[in-house]
Amino acid sequence: MELIEKTAAELRSLMLQGEVNAVQITEAYLQAIRAREPKVQAFLHVDESDAMAQASAIDQKRKHGWQLGPLAGIPVAIKDVLCTKGQVTTCGSKMLQNFIPPYDAHVITRLREADAVLIGKTNMDEFAMGSSTENSAFKTTRNPWDLERIPGGSSGGSAAAVAACEAPLSLGSDTGGSIRQPASLCGIVGMKPTYGRVSRFGLIAFASSLDQIGPFSHDVTDCALLLEVIAGHDRRDSTSVYRPVPPYSKTVHTPVKPLTIGLPREFFDEGLDPEVNACVQEALKVYRSLGATIKDVSLPYSRYAVPVYYIVATAEASSNLARYDGVHYGFRAPDFDSMIHMYSRSRGLGFGKEVKRRIMLGTYALSSGYYDAYYLKALKVRRLIKEDFDRAFAECDVVMGPTSPTPAFRIGEKAENPLAMYLSDIYTISCNLAGIAGISIPCGFTKAGLPVGLQILAGPFEEEKLLRVARMYEAQTDWHLRRPRL
Amino acid sequence: MALTGDQVRWVAHLARLELTEEEFQLFTGQLTRIVDFIDQLQEVKTEGVEPLAHALPIHNVFRPDEPAPSLSVDEALANAPARKGDFYSVPAVLD
């Protein structure tokens, strides 16, 4: 097996045994990036000399006998929504094409402290708005399993980078499924932690009550390793929760017994692709063979999750994105007649279509005369959605179903139909509205060779249980060992 | 419920978005379809349901008000599209 096909845990033990050093690992991934990027296009920026400098500093540390962090010498790719000090952070938008943050996001600081190598910034839907990464202002990322198809989104670059073995780990952000859906479509593991588990300091805001940063990896063990590094309280994010971080990477191999799995009938409706359903049913058989009890549950209000989301998320976005005014940072239009015209022209030219569409929708939902009918109504239904989960978790350890109703679709297939695109997040969105934890793990392939993901959801701050349940299945299967031919 | 061209223009004005004529046409149709879809929420009975703005029961979080280093003027202005001395530069608001 080539070095680049290994997991972070495997690379780490090779590092500890002295079989390889950080420079060799980083070199191998940079070479993979050079060879594969023309096809995959997962990255927006790769600074080779900076990555090599980080790697050699880690090797120096080891040479001097200093203690190394848990991700020593492991390359991590970063979604370009996370601020990196002194390095361009575009958020996939023309608006921030030249933006150089004066500080690191909290998770970036954590990665540096863990001795990880930040290998590059990955492509994404503009301002994390999209499900295919086609809304990037810069390039179209390809699914490594089929280059004619989308990798999912909005963290499509981070998912494709790991699937294509251009990095063993990456970070994404998930507002309505933007980690789990691309993980599913690219055949890797992706987790959205509980809201408040990971600090959002330095994450460029989309919808502040829903956004959460999380890991991508080849397998569940690596997911635990990366989550352990990024989770924890940070005083700079007042919604980050003050509670201890369990040693996920140590407990991940312990099965959960007894295990009760809830199967919401609403996640298996007529919109579900039969091949995806077949893979999920096979996965449930594996759990049954491990002694799990499977119980039918109902999440009756989950059918309203997409409409609630497109009010709540767009309302919050319309407010968050008001800061892009061509004054403090970001794009300013060259010609204008007045101050107000400078704002509206800079925003009109700096934002792409989907971002403008969502700002419009959110502004409408918050505008005088419509606030009660849309925004307030959505917040009430949001509570009903959360209460559905409260009831389910009172009788089940986890809830399972497909991550995405279909495998990866073709590039351009849904580009002209925003509503069809929105529906590709139908199973992932309710998790963000309820603020709970969710993971997508590989559970098979379609006949055409496209990956399928199993979504597992757990109650707030139950990441430890979620990872253990995911690992139980993974230990019985080999989907996570497959790598695309590139 | 179809959104009228006037409504779309009004919302674009509120959002400070200058749209092209082509975008107006496109968004008027697309937003109408999206709003139609979202209107299914009206069928949910929500009498007596408290709105949920945030999944966590978070209230104000306080910390001691202690001075700490912050960005220098140059760092804060480094990304400004236009700068004059130690200030952001914008077009005149008053004549």
Side-chain angles (χ1 to χ4, degrees), chain A residues 222-432:
Chain A
D222 276 10
C223 180
L225 192 64
L226 184 49
L227 180 65
E228 202 173 304
V229 167
I230 62 171
H233 179 252
D234 168 26
R235 59 189 286 177
R236 297 170 299 181
D237 171 5
S238 63
T239 63
S240 104
V241 168
Y242 199 87
R243 52 193 293 157
V245 177
Y248 303 117
S249 63
K250 296 198 174 59
T251 59
V252 63
H253 300 286
T254 312
V256 175
K257 279 181 183 168
L259 171 64
T260 307
I261 298 169
L263 220 54
R265 64 184 71 105
E266 293 81 5
F267 284 12
F268 296 87
D269 57 11
E270 70 275 18
L272 179 58
D273 179 277
E275 281 192 277
V276 172
N277 188 27
C279 291
V280 171
Q281 297 303 333
E282 284 301 312
L284 293 168
K285 276 187 201 159
V286 172
Y287 277 105
R288 258 189 219 104
S289 75
L290 293 169
T293 307
I294 296 180
K295 215 170 175 169
D296 284 325
V297 295
S298 179
L299 303 170
Y301 291 101
S302 65
R303 58 181 293 217
Y304 299 107
V306 177
V308 167
Y309 177 83
Y310 279 95
I311 294 172
V312 172
T314 59
E316 293 185 19
S318 72
S319 167
N320 271 327
L321 272 62
R323 74 189 68 184
Y324 302 103
D325 56 2
V327 174
H328 303 93
Y329 54 94
F331 175 80
R332 178 186 286 194
D335 312 300
F336 41 81
D337 307 329
S338 66
M339 179 90 162
I340 299 287
H341 192 216
M342 183 191 81
Y343 295 157
S344 58
R345 181 162 279 183
S346 300
R347 292 162 62 77
L349 294 172
F351 291 135
K353 281 198 173 70
E354 181 61 21
V355 172
K356 284 187 266 196
R357 203 152 36 226
R358 294 206 198 185
I359 291 175
M360 296 279 287
L361 187 59
T363 304
Y364 176 70
L366 290 175
S367 65
S368 172
Y370 298 98
Y371 178 91
D372 284 1
Y374 291 110
Y375 185 65
L376 207 60
K377 183 79 181 182
L379 292 187
K380 290 177 179 177
V381 182
R382 183 178 182 183
R383 179 174 299 278
L384 297 172
I385 289 168
K386 181 181 179 291
E387 288 173 351
D388 273 356
F389 279 109
D390 292 345
R391 274 190 295 275
F393 290 129
E395 50 176 335
C396 308
D397 293 291
V398 292
V399 160
M400 279 188 199
T403 306
S404 167
T406 65
F409 44 91
R410 288 181 191 283
I411 290 168
E413 192 177 321
K414 298 186 182 180
E416 300 306 316
N417 187 347
L419 204 50
M421 186 76 88
Y422 296 174
L423 290 170
S424 69
D425 292 327
I426 194 160
Y427 303 135
T428 49
I429 275 176
S430 52
C431 168
N432 301 74

Side-chain angles (χ1 to χ4, degrees), chain A residues 37-38 40-46 92 121-125 132-142 157:
Chain A
E37 270 302 274
V40 180
Q41 311 219 44
F43 285 89
L44 290 174
H45 332 280
V46 176
K121 305 294 290 287
T122 59
N123 196 24
M124 56 183 284
D125 284 303
S132 68
T133 312
E134 291 166 295
N135 294 333
S136 165
F138 305 110
K139 54 167 74 166
T140 303
T141 300
R142 312 284 169 144

